[in-house]
């Protein structure tokens, strides 16, 4: 590879040679073992060589513009049942006659133990023993490079898709009568390009092909960041096998998933949105340009629930006593980084009065929907798109489920279950058609490294924060604007000739905890909405979603389209360059926000908070012994957002007495508020060394680990021996359960 990495800069390499060959579909067949903390099985990759997909990509818009609406409309995906089988029962030594074709209702009854237990080193080859080229020039063998890390690859083989009855119809060339590499590749080329209205048939064929026997081992090698595969004599991507099976297993220390316990003490495992994405879960192509579909069969003990970012609401299928199988699929091409899995003893939460399915109804058209119900042709790669389905465009609340440990049943019924339907309805009213057909929401354990993570079809929410919102802006937030949030502009997406690239500072652990991009992004959107007016701004958002859904976009695409679609009189000297300079390339508070703050514009809720702050300052200045006739302060009831702003204002005070802090805690029941409020309360406790409330700090560090990292820093910066002892004690209690990145950052603070 010609990528030069600077370890000191924490750059993250993307090694896949996506310019030469692309994965179009993944079929995963996995077993989850909590005792060994390993996920093991096979993944079958269906590939398309570069010459073909480059031609397709270059003509996609022209094709869509010339096609009629009828040609671009197709049936929507519905739950598709694929029989539960075990691909590991087939090997390259099997004869075609030994291959049992899968069909609906059939199950594989062959040996479940597999036959690759001792092949961990059988098929590998040292990179020093051969020289290969990742391109299609020269005389060396073509090399398929996949992003891979923290995986044990056991075997790689070519899949004999020609052994699947019925697939021979996909070979257009009459002269291809003998089973050959070209014959098999022709089958895969036709399979991956089936029209979207045949998506169900396509999934069935993928499943059958994934269980076909192998027809030859492939040479492979692994290094820190990649898996490299070659076939002797295959000198170009066109000649390379287009269907390959990889036998592998994850490692307990792999960085793509976390093995931990939930709030009820039961074991669970889930993807964590790691900086390395999913390359330690399965070999894949990480660059976003590698858009693919997938289907997965996952087996686990019957007491576990398997959730994935799939289109279907999967239900368990019992294989044998004590073991269940779950099947998910996706027909919308997406980057591999969007693949999400969570396995645990989750309980589906339901409203006492009605189920989530009762809420998933289709409402009538409202006048505002005229803005976003376009009949035009979509510009993305063909797939079963909801934007071309009349019933989907009117569906305000999509089907949704909520999963959590059973101990959180009450909290879910009180808040989250009631919150989701109006949130989905509001999203539909603002942005139009929901791009995904359903939604699962999972309450993840306390050691989840962030407050939440949204993926297609599956959203993880930290217990600390059931509602991800931006809090009011105050002076205490200024430090978060201390560094610029600079995009790469026209260099975004720059790659080598093979498609490999690097993400600058992608492995920098501190990036996980930076808030600048969220805060600046929020205030930029707020600034644009205020400048343009709600009607113009939201009309643009609807048009933007409908124009670019299902496609990869850059920030400049958003800004350019915004400026092109607003009247000249409303642009008010806005330009892409001005926005970049003020908001993205400059550190500190953006100039528009500075002007707004100087103008003194403040909403009624903020003015109410300022009045309460004045009262608390008066209380703090009073002597311990007061005159009997002195009037007691009467404090107003405040919303959670107002409480956050109140505490941030009080953090600016040089001293607050223990008596004031105790009264503050008692007045607002701060120990019972949400995590955002309690975090500010803990900051006050630390700043003023309010020892009576140190238990609140300990509780926060244990139960709200995603936000606790900042608090560890406050405790250590104080240089107070008792506070530093508290920090080290809490870290000892939680370090084994903490997210690895968070634990490393905290350890660097403490020791």
């Amino acid at each position: 590879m010609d990528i030069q990495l600077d370890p000191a800069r924490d750059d993250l390499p993307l090694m896949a040679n996506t310019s030469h060959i692309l994965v179009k579909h993944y079929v995963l067949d996995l077993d989850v073992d909590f005792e060994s903390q390993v996920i093991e099985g096979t993944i079958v990759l269906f590939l398309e060589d570069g010459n073909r997909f480059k031609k397709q990509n270059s003509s996609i818009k022209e094709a869509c513009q010339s096609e009629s609406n009828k040609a671009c409309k197709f049936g929507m995906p519905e739950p598709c049942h694929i029989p539960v089988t075990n691909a590991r029962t087939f090997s390259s030594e099997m004869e075609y006659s030994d291959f049992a074709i899968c069909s609906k209702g059939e199950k594989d009854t062959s040996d479940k133990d597999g036959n690759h237990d001792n092949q961990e080193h059988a098929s590998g080859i040292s990179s020093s023993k051969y020289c290969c080229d990742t391109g299609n020039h020269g005389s060396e063998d073509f090399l398929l490079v996949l992003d891979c890390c923290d995986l044990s690859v056991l075997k790689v083989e070519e899949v004999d898709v020609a052994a699947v009855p019925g697939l021979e119809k996909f070979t257009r060339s009459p002269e291809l009568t003998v089973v050959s590499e070209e014959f098999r590749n022709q089958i895969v080329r036709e399979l991956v390009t089936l029209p979207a209205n045949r998506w169900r048939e396509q999934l069935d064929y993928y499943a059958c092909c994934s269980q076909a026997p192998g027809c030859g081992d492939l040479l492979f090698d692994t290094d820190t960041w990649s898996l490299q595969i070659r076939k002797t004599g295959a000198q170009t991507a066109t000649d390379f096998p287009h269907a390959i099976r990889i036998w592998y297993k994850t490692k307990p220390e792999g960085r793509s998933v976390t093995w931990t316990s939930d709030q009820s003490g039961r074991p669970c495992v889930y993807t964590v949105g790691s900086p390395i994405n999913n390359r330690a879960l399965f070999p894949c192509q990480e660059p976003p340009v590698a858009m693919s579909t997938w289907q997965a069969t996952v087996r686990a003990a019957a007491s576990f629930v398997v959730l994935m970012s799939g289109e279907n609401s999967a239900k368990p299928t019992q294989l044998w006593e004590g073991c269940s199988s779950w099947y998910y699929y996706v027909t919308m091409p997406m980057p591999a980084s969007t693949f999400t899995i969570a396995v645990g003893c989750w309980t589906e939460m339901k409203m006492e009065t009605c189920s989530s399915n009762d809420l998933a109804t289709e409402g009538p058209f409202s006048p505002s929907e005229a803005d976003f119900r376009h009949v035009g042709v979509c510009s993305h790669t063909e797939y079963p798109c909801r934007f071309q389905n009349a019933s989907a465009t009117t569906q305000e609340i999509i089907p949704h489920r909520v999963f959590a440990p059973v101990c959180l049943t009450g909290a879910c019924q009180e808040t989250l279950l009631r919150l989701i339907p109006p949130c989905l309805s509001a999203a539909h009213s603002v942005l139009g058609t929901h791009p995904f057909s359903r939604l699962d929401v999972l309450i993840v354990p306390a050691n989840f490294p962030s407050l939440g993570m949204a993926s297609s079809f599956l959203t993880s929410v930290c217990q600390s924060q059931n509602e991800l919102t931006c809090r009011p802006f105050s002076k205490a937030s200024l430090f978060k604007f201390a560094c610029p949030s600079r995009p790469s502009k026209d260099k975004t997406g720059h790659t080598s000739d093979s498609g490999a690239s690097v993400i600058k500072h992608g492995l920098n652990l501190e990036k996980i905890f930076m808030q600048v991009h969220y805060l600046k992004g929020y205030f930029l959107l707020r600034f644009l909405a205020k400048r343009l007016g709600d009607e113009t701004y939201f009309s643009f958002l609807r048009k933007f979603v409908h124009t670019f859904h299902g496609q990869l976009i850059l920030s400049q695409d958003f800004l350019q389209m915004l400026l092109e679609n607003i009247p000249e009189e409303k642009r008010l000297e806005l330009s892409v360059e001005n926005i970049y300079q003020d908001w993205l390339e400059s550190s500190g508070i953006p100039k528009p926000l500075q002007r707004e703050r100087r103008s003194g514009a403040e909403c009624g809720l903020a003015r109410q908070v300022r009045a309460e702050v004045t009262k608390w300052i008066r209380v703090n200045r009073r002597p311990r012994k007061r005159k009997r006739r002195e009037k007691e302060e009467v404090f107003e009831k405040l919303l959670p957002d107002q409480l956050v702003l109140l505490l941030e204002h009080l953090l600016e005070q040089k001293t607050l007495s223990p008596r004031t802090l105790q009264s503050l805690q008692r007045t607002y029941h701060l120990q019972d508020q949400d995590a955002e409020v309690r975090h500010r309360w803990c900051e006050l406790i630390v700043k003023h060394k309010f020892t009576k409330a140190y238990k609140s700090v300990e509780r926060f560090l244990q139960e709200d680990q995603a936000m606790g990292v900042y608090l560890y820093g406050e405790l250590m910066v104080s240089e107070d021996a008792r506070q530093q002892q508290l920090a080290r004690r809490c870290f000892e209690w939680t370090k084994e359960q903490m997210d690895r990145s968070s634990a490393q950052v905290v350890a660097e603070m403490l020791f």
Side-chain angles (χ1 to χ4, degrees):
M1 304 299 292
D2 56 354
I3 300 297
Q4 297 297 318
L5 300 181
D6 181 1
R9 294 169 61 97
D10 300 313
D11 293 342
L12 173 66
L14 302 179
M15 305 297 286
N17 54 339
T18 54
S19 294
H20 300 148
I21 194 165
L22 279 181
V23 177
K24 302 299 291 184
H25 189 80
Y26 298 93
V27 180
L28 296 99
D29 188 84
L30 303 173
D31 290 286
V32 180
D33 186 348
F34 280 93
E35 184 175 348
S36 62
Q37 295 190 343
V38 164
I39 299 175
E40 181 178 7
T42 64
I43 182 169
V44 176
L45 281 59
F46 294 86
L47 305 164
E48 187 173 54
D49 59 84
N51 292 333
R52 185 177 180 92
F53 67 71
K54 284 179 181 177
K55 291 179 182 178
Q56 289 178 339
N57 290 342
S58 64
S59 61
I60 215 169
K61 285 191 176 180
E62 293 84 347
C64 283
Q65 290 171 355
S66 63
E67 290 288 336
S68 66
N69 290 345
K70 181 178 179 181
C72 284
K73 294 181 180 179
F74 13 75
M76 295 301 296
E78 299 172 1
C80 175
H81 174 72
I82 300 294
V84 178
T85 54
N86 190 340
R88 289 176 294 167
T89 58
F90 301 104
S91 73
S92 58
E93 287 77 21
M94 293 178 63
E95 298 293 336
Y96 292 166
S97 59
D98 295 331
F99 172 55
I101 301 300
C102 63
S103 61
K104 293 189 177 182
E106 294 181 354
K107 293 186 179 180
D108 174 34
T109 57
S110 55
D111 181 17
K112 301 296 178 183
D113 294 331
N115 58 4
H116 66 292
D117 295 342
N118 299 317
Q119 299 186 25
E120 182 154 356
H121 305 289
S123 301
I125 183 169
S126 171
S127 58
S128 63
K129 294 182 180 179
Y130 66 94
C131 175
C132 6
D133 188 1
T134 63
N136 55 1
H137 52 279
S139 59
E140 300 90 354
D141 294 332
F142 171 80
L143 192 67
L144 169 65
V145 181
L146 300 173
D147 292 297
C148 175
C149 179
D150 300 335
L151 293 178
S152 295
V153 178
L154 311 177
K155 177 181 178 181
V156 182
E157 65 181 357
E158 181 179 358
V159 177
D160 188 9
V161 296
V164 179
L167 285 184
E168 64 276 359
K169 63 185 178 183
F170 289 144
T171 54
R172 295 178 178 178
S173 303
E175 62 272 15
L176 293 179
T177 56
V178 179
V179 176
S180 62
E181 194 72 72
E182 186 179 359
F183 184 82
R184 299 187 189 96
N185 286 354
Q186 179 66 41
I187 290 175
V188 176
R189 290 190 190 102
E190 297 302 321
L191 177 57
V192 300
T193 56
L194 282 178
N197 59 359
R198 297 174 66 182
W199 65 270
R200 191 187 300 275
E201 177 187 6
Q202 187 181 45
L203 285 179
D204 286 342
Y205 277 128
Y206 279 139
C208 292
C209 287
S210 71
Q211 299 171 48
C215 56
D217 289 354
L218 300 177
L219 301 172
F220 70 89
D221 186 29
T222 59
D223 58 26
T224 303
W225 293 111
S226 69
L227 166 64
Q228 304 138 34
I229 306 170
R230 74 180 180 101
K231 179 177 181 178
T232 303
Q235 296 184 4
T236 68
T238 303
D239 300 330
F240 189 81
H242 283 25
I244 64 172
R245 180 184 295 117
I246 302 171
W247 310 70
Y248 77 98
K249 59 183 178 180
T250 65
K251 297 180 180 179
E253 67 274 16
R255 287 168 281 174
S256 292
V257 297
T258 291
W259 300 86
T260 185
S261 299
D262 64 18
Q263 292 87 336
S264 296
R266 303 294 299 277
C268 61
V269 61
Y270 51 79
T271 45
V272 292
S274 167
I276 67 168
N277 292 322
N278 286 319
R279 67 182 72 185
L281 177 59
F282 59 92
C284 58
Q285 292 182 329
E286 283 285 0
V289 68
M291 306 270 276
S292 59
T293 54
W294 59 265
Q295 61 198 98
T297 299
V298 179
R299 289 170 293 278
S303 58
F304 290 93
V305 172
V306 177
L307 301 177
M308 298 182 74
S309 50
E311 295 177 12
N312 57 313
S313 297
K315 301 293 183 183
T317 299
Q318 183 173 347
L319 299 181
W320 55 84
E321 186 176 357
C323 182
S324 295
S325 174
W326 302 71
Y327 171 76
Y328 288 90
Y329 64 86
V330 160
T331 62
M332 176 182 178
M334 285 180 284
S337 58
T338 64
F339 181 95
T340 307
I341 184 171
V343 184
C345 300
W346 325 118
T347 299
E348 183 176 358
M349 304 293 169
K350 296 184 178 181
M351 294 284 288
E352 294 180 349
T353 54
C354 61
S355 68
S356 60
N357 290 333
D358 297 329
L359 298 170
T361 58
E362 298 174 3
F365 282 112
S366 62
S368 63
E369 286 176 338
D371 292 332
F372 54 77
R373 188 171 181 261
H374 301 289
V375 186
V377 176
C378 299
S379 299
H380 53 69
T381 302
E382 189 184 24
Y383 68 85
C385 177
R386 287 174 55 81
F387 286 77
Q388 292 296 332
N389 183 284
S391 61
T393 62
T394 64
Q395 193 175 32
E396 295 183 15
I397 304 174
I398 56 176
H400 53 277
R401 305 182 297 181
V402 176
F403 292 87
V406 67
C407 64
L408 297 179
T409 300
C412 288
Q413 290 180 341
E414 280 183 30
T415 55
L416 192 57
L417 287 174
R418 301 179 185 277
L419 181 66
I420 293 176
C423 285
L424 290 172
S425 181
H428 182 272
S429 67
V430 172
L431 300 175
T433 305
H434 291 286
F436 305 121
S437 57
R438 68 174 199 93
L439 174 67
D440 279 344
V441 177
L442 172 65
I443 307 298
V444 290
N447 65 346
F448 198 76
S450 65
L451 296 182
M453 183 176 66
S455 184
S456 51
F457 307 102
L458 177 59
T459 294
S460 301
V461 179
C462 184
Q463 180 183 346
S464 303
Q465 188 94 346
N466 286 343
E467 185 177 0
L468 298 178
T469 59
C470 281
R471 296 292 183 170
F473 181 61
S474 69
K475 293 180 183 177
S477 300
L478 302 190
F479 77 95
K480 296 176 182 176
F481 286 121
C483 61
S485 179
R486 184 181 295 112
S488 299
K489 289 190 177 179
D490 54 342
K491 294 183 180 179
T492 300
H494 177 71
T495 64
S496 68
D497 291 341
S498 70
S501 62
V502 297
I503 300 176
K504 292 297 183 181
H505 310 294
L507 295 175
N508 188 329
L509 298 179
E510 294 180 2
K511 287 185 64 176
I512 302 173
F513 309 105
M514 290 181 64
Q515 298 293 307
V516 62
H517 46 296
Y518 289 114
L519 287 168
K520 276 193 172 180
Y522 165 74
F523 285 108
L524 172 58
L525 295 180
R526 178 176 171 269
F527 163 75
L528 293 173
K530 189 173 182 179
R531 177 70 70 91
L532 303 178
D534 287 351
E535 183 177 354
T536 300
Y537 177 68
F538 287 119
S539 177
F540 158 73
L541 285 185
R542 289 191 286 271
K543 184 174 182 180
F544 178 80
V545 170
H546 277 263
T547 301
F548 287 108
H549 70 274
Q551 302 175 69
L552 297 175
I553 59 166
L554 303 174
S555 58
Q556 50 262 46
D557 297 327
F558 176 87
L559 295 174
Q560 192 63 48
M561 183 176 177
L562 171 68
L563 297 178
E564 290 174 354
N565 284 272
I566 60 177
E568 184 67 33
E569 63 272 13
K570 288 192 175 184
R571 289 191 187 181
L572 303 175
E573 300 181 354
L574 284 177
S575 69
V576 173
E577 283 305 314
N578 287 343
I579 293 173
Y580 271 141
Q581 183 175 351
D582 289 345
W583 291 88
L584 303 176
E585 295 181 342
S586 302
S587 60
I589 304 175
K591 294 178 181 178
L593 278 186
Q594 293 181 27
R595 291 192 290 267
E596 181 180 326
R597 289 178 61 80
R598 284 195 296 267
S599 68
E602 215 172 32
C603 68
L605 293 175
R607 286 195 295 272
Q608 184 183 9
V609 170
R610 284 197 176 274
E612 297 303 297
V613 171
T614 301
K615 295 177 185 177
W616 282 108
I617 292 175
R618 284 201 299 263
V619 168
N620 190 57
R621 289 174 178 171
R622 287 174 183 167
R624 180 176 295 273
K625 294 183 179 180
R626 296 185 290 114
K627 296 179 181 180
R628 292 184 179 180
R629 294 184 180 180
E630 191 171 0
K631 185 178 179 181
E632 290 279 352
E633 294 286 0
V634 178
F635 297 101
E636 300 293 332
K637 185 176 181 180
L638 299 179
L639 298 170
D641 284 347
Q642 290 180 299
L643 279 176
V644 171
L645 188 56
L646 170 74
L647 297 177
E648 289 192 345
H649 279 304
L650 292 178
L651 277 166
E652 299 170 10
Q653 297 299 306
K654 187 174 182 179
T655 58
L656 291 177
S657 68
R659 175 173 49 85
T660 301
L661 292 169
Q662 190 167 0
S663 179
L664 192 68
Q665 180 182 24
R666 185 171 56 248
T667 300
Y668 300 115
H669 304 284
L670 294 176
Q671 69 278 6
D672 299 324
Q673 297 291 338
D674 67 27
E676 290 279 6
V677 176
R678 289 186 287 110
H679 186 269
R680 270 64 170 195
W681 170 231
C682 287
E683 287 185 281
L684 276 174
I685 295 170
V686 173
K687 178 177 180 178
H688 300 290
K689 298 178 175 59
F690 185 38
T691 57
K692 289 184 177 180
Y694 277 3
K695 287 293 183 183
S696 294
V697 178
E698 290 183 357
R699 174 195 167 197
F700 192 91
L701 292 177
Q702 294 178 67
E703 297 182 2
D704 302 279
Q705 295 177 25
M707 301 176 70
V709 172
Y710 306 99
L711 206 54
Y712 278 108
E714 299 285 343
L715 289 165
M716 298 307 294
V717 169
S718 70
E719 297 185 351
D720 178 83
R722 185 170 178 181
Q723 289 189 359
Q724 292 182 347
Q725 185 181 14
L726 184 154
R728 293 189 177 99
R729 183 170 63 250
C730 288
F731 182 64
E732 285 298 318
W733 291 341
T734 59
K735 66 180 181 181
E736 296 301 325
Q737 291 294 319
M738 286 181 73
D739 167 72
R740 284 187 290 273
S741 297
S742 302
Q744 185 174 338
V745 170
V746 172
E748 291 175 358
M749 294 180 188
L750 303 184
F751 306 106

